[in-house]
Amino acid sequence: MEFIVSDSYEQMSETAAGILAKELNGNPSAVFALPTGSTPVGTYQVLAKLNREGQVDFSHGNFFNVDEYVGLSRESKQGYYHFLYENLYQHVNVDLTKTHAPDGMASNPELAAIQYEEMIDGLGGLDIAFLGIGRNGHIGFNEPASSLHYSTYCVMLTESTIEANSRFFKSVEEVPKQALTIGMGTIMRAKKIVMVANGEDKAAAIKRLREDTSLDTEFPSSLLRLHPDVTVVTTIK
């Protein structure tokens, strides 16, 4: 696991975007998992700039949301597909038919999870898992637990995650209590993992990821230590 410490959020975003652009240029039809949240926004802005300058081409790539809320549609402004559309897809030459998110409006979320995993598998699995990290070490919505799910599944969100995400809603009560998320096995099968982390609220999680050598399902990010190609780009020293 490689840690790249940046002096600023802008530098972190440029570094992460450079890594992702290099991977896409090397494999134009690569399969990506993409996160939401405030931290990756800068990375998406740099990628859009690189695309405008002709330095990276999104037209053949395949892009999957890491997760999506249950009960929110593809068009919902609080939904995670909409987030990626607003922050990345509308700014680059992506083929929107190759952009995917779990079906948050499915009448059977468990079946929607299976179908989403099958879509990823049908393309040969993830080439790049681009990730953030939660305050409690969660990845996507793989929350701390006594055991973790292997493939895409429907999860009940913890109170800490609901509170953290409430800034995107009018109130904490409006935050959905369930989500569909790719599983830790889906992530661990990716050929390469790139994580970004910024801000004091993530400092404890990054410190633990950097210094603690244990594997603990109560700290899901610890499983990344088993992966042969993980790069963490962070402002946290």
Side-chain angles (χ1 to χ4, degrees):
M1 185 179 294
E2 178 186 10
F3 285 85
I4 300 175
V5 180
S6 302
D7 293 328
S8 66
Y9 175 77
E10 290 73 22
Q11 186 184 70
M12 179 200 75
S13 300
E14 289 175 1
T15 299
I19 295 170
L20 298 175
K22 181 180 179 181
E23 294 297 325
L24 186 54
N25 285 334
N27 180 8
S29 60
V31 181
F32 283 75
L34 298 178
T36 54
S38 56
T39 303
V41 168
T43 302
Y44 295 145
Q45 291 172 343
V46 176
L47 285 170
K49 179 175 180 291
L50 293 174
N51 181 245
R52 289 194 301 273
E53 294 172 349
Q55 297 186 52
V56 64
D57 178 16
F58 283 78
S59 63
H60 300 290
N62 300 275
F63 304 95
F64 288 81
N65 274 61
V66 169
D67 39 34
E68 182 60 277
Y69 286 118
V70 170
L72 296 188
S73 70
R74 195 176 175 97
E75 294 77 25
S76 171
K77 291 184 178 181
Q78 285 81 29
Y80 284 169
Y81 180 85
H82 182 81
F83 176 96
L84 281 173
Y85 180 82
E86 288 290 309
N87 288 282
L88 180 63
Y89 297 154
Q90 70 171 337
H91 304 292
V92 298
N93 66 329
V94 70
D95 179 350
L96 289 178
T97 65
K98 295 182 177 181
T99 63
H100 310 282
D103 184 1
M105 295 300 290
S107 58
N108 186 336
E110 288 76 16
L111 179 58
I114 293 170
Q115 292 171 337
Y116 196 62
E117 189 75 19
E118 289 175 344
M119 288 175 64
I120 296 172
D121 287 345
L123 291 169
L126 298 174
D127 292 297
I128 311 294
F130 179 38
L131 307 171
I133 185 172
R135 298 173 187 173
N136 58 9
H138 75 252
I139 296 177
F141 281 129
N142 292 282
E143 300 278 10
S146 57
S147 63
L148 297 173
H149 285 257
Y150 186 77
S151 57
T152 303
Y153 69 107
C154 183
V155 58
M156 292 294 299
L157 303 181
T158 65
E159 290 302 319
S160 63
T161 296
I162 291 171
E163 180 184 352
N165 291 345
S166 64
R167 67 188 185 276
F168 300 111
F169 294 80
K170 292 181 180 179
S171 68
V172 68
E173 288 75 23
E174 290 187 9
V175 184
K177 305 303 186 287
Q178 290 180 293
L180 292 161
T181 186
I182 60 175
M184 288 303 299
T186 315
I187 293 167
M188 294 297 290
R189 296 198 309 276
K191 295 181 178 67
K192 185 178 184 65
I193 295 173
V194 179
M195 174 182 282
V196 287
N198 174 66
E200 285 305 310
D201 61 333
K202 304 295 178 67
I206 289 298
K207 178 180 174 63
R208 182 172 177 181
L209 185 62
R210 183 188 285 131
E211 299 178 3
D212 186 352
T213 59
S214 66
L215 300 175
D216 186 357
T217 59
E218 295 291 346
F219 187 71
S221 296
S222 67
L223 271 67
L224 298 184
R225 298 191 184 98
L226 297 172
H227 195 282
D229 190 353
V230 178
T231 301
V232 180
V233 189
T234 180
T235 58
I236 299 163
K237 295 178 171 60

